[in-house]
Amino acid sequence: MNNVHRLFRHRLFADWKFQYSIWKLVVDWIVALYIVIPGLALFLDTYVDWWQEPPAFFFALPLTILLPIAVVFCWSGTLRIFVEEADQLFLFQHRSWLKGLVVYSIALQILANLLITGLLAFLCAPFLLAVHHVDLASFFWFFLLLLICRINAGLFKQCLQHRWEGWRYLLAQIPLLGFYTALFWAALAFIGNRPLYVLLTFFLLLLLILLILYRLSLPATLLKDISLAQTEKMKFANVFLKYMGTYAKKPIRLKKHPWLFKNSGPLFKERSADKVLTEIGLKGFLRHRSNMLFYLQVVGIYGAFLTILPSLWQWILWGGAIFFLASLGKLQWLEWINSPFVSLFVLDREIKQKAAGRFLFFFICPGLIFLGLAVTLLTQQWLLGLVLLPVGVFLSKITADSLTFFQSN
């Protein structure tokens, strides 16, 4: 590669080829023919119905339901610099090439965010235009703000990652999340207010320019960029590997201690093979900080989403949290059961099935109980909450056992 343009183009095409190979493992021509294409056709037919005759529950949903969606969507924005481990010797000597790769990566991320934001606007159009009768100019302006905020969030997070790690990085995100929440609350509460939108657009564009300049001025970022790029590159691959039951090794941080079960004894009085396997799986999950943070974030975001819904929908989606948490727990269990340590032992299928069911039950219950208490507090329906919480725990047990039974067969 004799210039940075060809190097970036080569890296980009190589990454597209790699990601395509990952998706091809899951979506082959049979899946595409019998599942993806019919599903897409059914969705398009449903989408047309949304325009012609919006569902009744659309009219029951307030405009503020878009607040958590907008915040999560924007904060999920990322920035990946297309560098590899083999670049260290060369790019340390040619800093201008590294800056060129950063510029091209930011430009690519802007285009990618434009497409993703356009897709979200396409999905939300019936709700905003047909149900809440937002005018077309305000509709496009709102999603323009969404696009700029998502690009800014990717730059924000990468700048923070170059400065802090661990709890300091998480703590630094809190005021930024608060800022995004306040900004989108104002954008939704005063949608159609042209002076406010002009002011917000100017402020966000100015912030975008400053963030780009600051990112380009950061010194000695190559090693961190390589680490972040590898994590971003393998993000979807690791999810598919978990579903396939393949172990993906997690990074080990030195001089870090687990939050829970540092020096714990047995969790179960009765010592059997399946209970010991469940205990080791639970402790392995809870002792890893990233697992705990992921679980708390998922439950917190789900709970925040429930707060803006009518009481009936809060209880309905609280019940849906059983299946949502069960699917997440299944991923964690498959990763654990296929880890090198557990693979050293020869275990019967029945033992694995019992251990998996118990693990999923304990994985679902804390989040489900917390969400149930939150919904009870929000709706003030104390008697209904007193009845439904035990029912939810019972359904969690049935769901966990059913998932493991079908998996083993």
Side-chain angles (χ1 to χ4, degrees), residues 37 49 71 73 76 101 113 132 139 152 165 176 185 204 267 283 286 300 320 328 350 375:
I37 295 177
D49 289 339
V71 173
F73 175 78
S76 63
L101 288 174
N113 286 326
H132 286 278
F139 172 79
N152 285 346
E165 288 186 1
L176 297 176
W185 177 85
L204 290 173
L267 295 180
K283 289 182 177 180
L286 295 172
L328 294 180
E350 184 179 356
V375 172

Side-chain angles (χ1 to χ4, degrees), residues 11-298:
R11 291 283 166 77
L12 180 60
F13 290 158
D15 181 69
W16 285 351
K17 185 177 180 180
F18 172 75
Q19 299 298 339
Y20 173 74
S21 66
I22 297 299
W23 283 98
K24 193 176 180 181
L25 291 174
V26 180
V27 185
D28 56 12
W29 71 271
I30 298 177
V31 175
L33 181 62
Y34 292 101
I35 298 179
V36 176
I37 295 177
L40 182 60
L42 179 61
F43 165 75
L44 291 176
D45 182 66
T46 305
Y47 183 79
V48 172
D49 289 339
W50 287 354
W51 281 103
Q52 296 174 347
E53 188 177 353
F57 74 91
F58 272 20
F59 295 92
L61 297 176
L63 193 60
T64 51
I65 194 175
L66 293 177
L67 177 60
I69 297 175
V71 173
V72 173
F73 175 78
C74 286
W75 203 247
S76 63
T78 58
L79 172 61
R80 175 188 168 189
I81 309 300
F82 283 78
V83 288
E84 300 287 347
E85 293 182 357
D87 294 332
Q88 297 181 42
L89 293 177
F90 179 79
L91 291 182
F92 270 131
Q93 302 173 17
H94 299 79
R95 298 299 176 89
S96 62
W97 281 51
L98 177 59
K99 186 170 292 188
L101 288 174
V102 174
V103 171
Y104 278 117
S105 298
I106 293 174
L108 176 66
Q109 211 60 36
I110 291 174
L111 292 176
N113 286 326
L114 178 61
L115 293 175
I116 297 172
T117 308
L119 178 61
L120 181 64
F122 174 76
L123 294 174
C124 295
F127 178 73
L128 286 170
L129 299 177
V131 176
H132 286 278
H133 305 290
V134 176
D135 63 275
L136 198 59
S138 300
F139 172 79
F140 283 114
W141 211 334
F142 174 76
F143 282 97
L144 175 63
L145 293 180
L146 207 65
L147 169 64
I148 302 173
C149 285
R150 184 176 170 87
I151 299 169
N152 285 346
L155 288 163
F156 256 131
K157 291 193 293 184
Q158 188 164 109
C159 292
L160 292 176
Q161 286 173 320
H162 280 293
R163 187 172 180 85
W164 291 297
E165 288 186 1
W167 66 270
R168 293 179 180 84
Y169 168 67
L170 296 172
L171 194 63
Q173 295 184 68
I174 295 177
L176 297 176
L177 279 171
F179 166 74
Y180 269 41
T181 303
L183 186 148
F184 282 113
W185 177 85
L188 287 169
F190 301 98
I191 193 167
N193 188 321
R194 301 297 173 83
L196 175 64
Y197 270 57
V198 170
L199 181 62
L200 290 177
T201 305
F202 174 77
F203 172 75
L204 290 173
L205 285 175
L206 179 62
L207 184 62
L208 174 61
I209 295 172
L210 294 175
L211 283 171
I212 292 175
L213 293 176
Y214 178 75
R215 177 62 186 86
L216 292 174
S217 67
L218 287 176
T221 63
L222 179 58
L223 295 179
K224 186 68 175 180
D225 285 334
I226 292 173
S227 175
L228 295 174
Q230 290 299 314
T231 301
E232 189 67 21
K233 177 182 178 180
M234 296 299 296
K235 181 169 61 176
F236 293 110
N238 286 336
V239 173
F240 291 140
L241 289 173
K242 283 183 180 181
Y243 269 112
M244 295 168 64
T246 304
Y247 174 72
K249 186 177 180 181
K250 295 182 178 180
I252 298 175
R253 295 174 178 257
L254 299 177
K255 298 182 180 179
K256 298 291 183 181
H257 302 287
W259 290 348
L260 300 175
F261 301 113
K262 296 180 181 179
N263 300 299
S264 65
L267 295 180
F268 304 103
K269 291 183 179 180
E270 181 184 346
R271 310 303 288 171
S272 59
D274 57 291
K275 289 188 176 181
V276 171
L277 188 60
T278 303
E279 179 179 322
I280 297 175
L282 287 172
K283 289 182 177 180
F285 173 80
L286 295 172
R287 283 174 173 170
H288 206 286
R289 295 189 177 196
S290 64
N291 291 337
M292 288 296 299
L293 291 173
F294 173 73
Y295 190 87
L296 294 174
Q297 287 172 352
V298 167

